[in-house]
Amino acid sequence: MTAPAARRRRRPVTDVLLSVWGWLVMAFLFAPILVIVVYSFNEGRLLASWDGFGFSAYEAAFANRQIVATVLVTIRVAIWSALVATVLGTMAGIALARRPGRWTVWFTALLLLVTVTPEIVDAVALLPWFVQLGTELGITVLNDGIVRLAIGSSLFSTAVVAYLVRSRLVGMDEHLEQAAADLYATPVQALTRVTLPLTAPAVLSGFLLSFTLSLDNTIIAAFVSVQGSTPWPVYILGSVRSGLRPEIAAMSTVMLVLTLLVLVLVAIVLRRSGDSTAQIARTMTGG
């Protein structure tokens, strides 16, 4: 049998079945998202009633001040949450990678506990904590809705950033930082001129991932948000009672596109930093 004929041989049945199964899984995961995107162009009054193709839902979404306000609150919270998570997570990741010790096991266990704790538990714990500190102890800044949402959204993201920065530094030699110390650099100078530039791709990726993770932090947001700082997910929950309208799908599509753009930017940053496709995939999933 010639080589071209051998290449044209039929694929094994198991390979075909696995490919079909893979496509079915992809369809199961992404079909609901595709439906929302399609129905965002619905001209009907309600989302479930298709009355033709058009862009009136997007016009109505951006003309609705309440919708725009909730989206702006969500973006503000995402930025502040990402900043808090990036600062705390970067310091934690550097400490785990460069100053390991007995404390490392316990600290890593605490980070793992943060990542696996159900959101509803975090939400129930945060609400009385904010009330106790903000009202009874007089720390008035914790009565601000943006502050509450940013803190709540940054819990999980801080652990993700710490894992990313730690994994970045573990594979790098510490000799460069030691050389900076030999050249009379202070610890702060070694941190800002050597360590942080080495971890810059992980730090930036952690910031962007933290931003996207906070966009859909529905459960915690529903518990800790206050009047005047309602985020987009909580607004959608309230809209379900009166029936979903096409403008909800339109703004959800806009938020989806924003999330995808941020994730693409994360992949570009990691690719330019020399990470492989498998490493990029692990980073995108928080691994």
Side-chain angles (χ1 to χ4, degrees), residues 97-135:
R98 291 297 186 245
R99 295 295 181 268
R102 292 183 178 180
W103 68 274
T104 304
V105 177
W106 299 102
F107 191 76
T108 304
L110 289 176
L111 290 178
L112 181 61
L113 181 63
V114 171
T115 58
V116 301
T117 301
E119 257 190 284
I120 185 64
V121 176
D122 292 333
V124 172
L126 282 171
L127 182 57
W129 185 68
F130 283 140
V131 173
Q132 177 75 19
L133 296 180
T135 303

Side-chain angles (χ1 to χ4, degrees), residues 90 94 97-98 164-180 189-205 269-270 272-275:
T90 299
I94 292 174
R98 291 297 186 245
L164 291 177
V165 173
R166 178 184 179 277
S167 62
R168 182 81 181 177
L169 281 177
V170 163
M172 294 183 175
D173 200 334
E174 198 175 350
H175 288 165
L176 289 175
E177 293 152 287
Q178 294 173 349
Q189 290 174 330
L191 174 67
T192 56
R193 298 185 182 183
V194 180
T195 306
L196 287 181
L198 289 175
T199 60
V203 172
L204 180 57
S205 301
V269 170
L270 293 175
R272 291 192 174 183
S273 68
D275 286 359

Side-chain angles (χ1 to χ4, degrees), residues 212-275:
T212 59
L213 288 172
S214 66
L215 292 177
D216 63 347
N217 203 335
T218 307
I219 299 177
I220 291 179
F223 273 75
V224 305
S225 61
V226 299
Q227 187 175 4
S229 61
T230 302
W232 174 244
V234 177
Y235 177 82
I236 294 179
L237 285 179
S239 301
V240 173
R241 301 173 184 175
S242 58
L244 285 176
R245 302 183 302 277
E247 53 262 34
I248 300 295
M251 190 57 72
S252 297
T253 302
V254 173
M255 298 294 284
L256 173 64
V257 172
L258 175 63
T259 303
L260 293 177
L261 289 176
V262 173
L263 293 178
V264 169
L265 185 58
V266 172
I268 293 174
V269 170
L270 293 175
R271 173 65 70 180
R272 291 192 174 183
S273 68
D275 286 359

Side-chain angles (χ1 to χ4, degrees), residues 40-153:
S40 68
F41 298 97
N42 181 19
E43 290 289 321
R45 183 174 177 274
L46 294 177
L47 191 63
S49 175
W50 180 268
D51 286 345
F53 180 89
F55 295 92
S56 60
Y58 287 89
E59 296 175 0
F62 284 99
N64 190 316
R65 293 184 178 180
Q66 190 173 6
I67 290 179
V68 173
T70 59
V71 171
L72 292 178
V73 166
T74 301
I75 294 176
R76 286 175 60 193
V77 169
I79 293 173
W80 282 111
S81 172
L83 288 173
V84 172
T86 301
V87 172
L88 297 180
T90 299
M91 292 190 295
I94 292 174
L96 286 170
R98 291 297 186 245
R99 295 295 181 268
R102 292 183 178 180
W103 68 274
T104 304
V105 177
W106 299 102
F107 191 76
T108 304
L110 289 176
L111 290 178
L112 181 61
L113 181 63
V114 171
T115 58
V116 301
T117 301
E119 257 190 284
I120 185 64
V121 176
D122 292 333
V124 172
L126 282 171
L127 182 57
W129 185 68
F130 283 140
V131 173
Q132 177 75 19
L133 296 180
T135 303
E136 299 186 13
L137 296 184
I139 306 178
T140 56
V141 68
L142 294 178
N143 294 326
D144 185 270
I146 300 296
V147 174
R148 287 187 175 191
L149 291 168
I151 294 174
S153 299

